[in-house]
Amino acid sequence: MASERWVFGYGSLMWRPGFPFAERRAATLHGRRRAFCIYSVHHRGTYERPGLVLGLAPGGATRGAAYRVSEADWAETYAYLMEREQPTETYIEARRQVRLEDGRRVDALTFLSDVGHPQWAGVLRLDRQAELIADAKGLSGPNVEYLRDLVNHLREMGVRDAAMERLLGMVERL
C-alpha cells in the first residue's frame, strides 16, 4: 500500500530499532553499500577522539532490515529517528526502494551518507578504520561494541561480511 511507512536499517537499527513496528523483514537496498565512512563525534567517539560509524556509501548493495511502522506510531517514530540518526546531520534523509525477503518492493525512510559533510571519512584503509575504532568511545559506548554487534547480527542473518569480520579481528588485536 502506498500509505505504508517503512524504515530501512543497516547498522544498529537492525538489532536495536528503539521504536514500535508492525512488521520486520530482511531487506536489500541496491545502489548503496554499508561502510565505516562517517567520523563519529557523538555516539561512538568525541570531537577530540572521533570513532567511525556506518554509512551508506555510493555503490553496491546492502542487506539490512526493513520495519513497517503503523500510521499511529509514525510521528513519534520519525521524531525519535531524527534525534537518534541526525545529532550532527551527517546523513541525508531519503526515501529509497528496498526489496523485502518475500519479494515485495517498498519505499523506506533511509539515511544515506552525506559525502559533502565534514564528518564524511570517505574510503579508509582497513588498518586506519581499525585504529579509529579501537579506542574510541562516545555517548553510546565503545566503538568496538558497535562493530562487534554488527558482525554478530549479520552472522545471525546468515550474512558473512568478510571485510567486517577482518576489521573486527584487527580491532581486537589492537
Side-chain angles (χ1 to χ4, degrees):
M1 293 188 331
S3 64
E4 289 186 334
R5 306 283 192 149
W6 288 85
V7 175
F8 179 71
Y10 55 91
S12 62
L13 285 176
M14 290 190 302
W15 62 87
R16 190 176 47 81
F19 56 85
F21 55 89
E23 182 179 2
R24 180 189 192 278
R25 296 281 181 194
T28 303
L29 171 70
H30 291 278
R32 294 285 177 146
R33 63 184 171 76
R34 180 183 3 254
F36 277 99
C37 59
I38 305 284
Y39 291 116
S40 178
V41 297
H42 185 77
H43 286 294
R44 297 297 177 166
T46 63
Y47 283 99
E48 297 77 28
R49 178 61 176 84
L52 284 176
V53 290
L54 294 169
L56 287 172
T62 300
R63 184 133 174 248
Y67 300 92
R68 183 171 55 83
V69 178
S70 75
E71 194 62 40
D73 292 326
W74 182 252
E76 187 175 332
T77 296
Y78 181 77
Y80 165 78
L81 288 168
M82 290 301 104
E83 183 178 320
R84 174 177 169 164
E85 299 297 318
Q86 292 285 56
T88 57
E89 300 178 348
T90 55
Y91 300 102
I92 297 169
E93 174 189 345
R95 302 262 185 255
R96 291 292 183 268
Q97 190 173 86
V98 297
R99 185 177 39 80
L100 305 180
E101 64 189 340
D102 63 10
R104 287 181 290 163
R105 293 183 185 277
V106 298
D107 287 328
L109 173 63
T110 307
F111 295 95
L112 307 175
S113 300
D114 181 353
V115 300
H117 194 280
Q119 286 175 246
W120 168 251
V123 179
L124 299 173
R125 291 185 336 267
L126 218 51
D127 61 331
R128 180 64 181 139
Q129 291 177 46
E131 290 169 6
L132 287 165
I133 292 170
D135 296 320
K137 188 183 336 182
L139 294 174
S140 296
N143 206 168
V144 66
E145 286 180 3
Y146 178 72
L147 172 58
R148 192 175 293 120
D149 284 343
L150 171 69
V151 169
N152 289 336
H153 191 80
L154 289 174
R155 286 176 184 162
E156 288 172 12
M157 290 175 60
V159 177
R160 297 303 293 223
D161 188 322
M164 293 296 170
E165 292 195 21
R166 191 164 148 235
L167 178 59
L168 178 58
M170 293 171 75
V171 170
E172 289 176 336
R173 282 190 290 281
L174 291 174

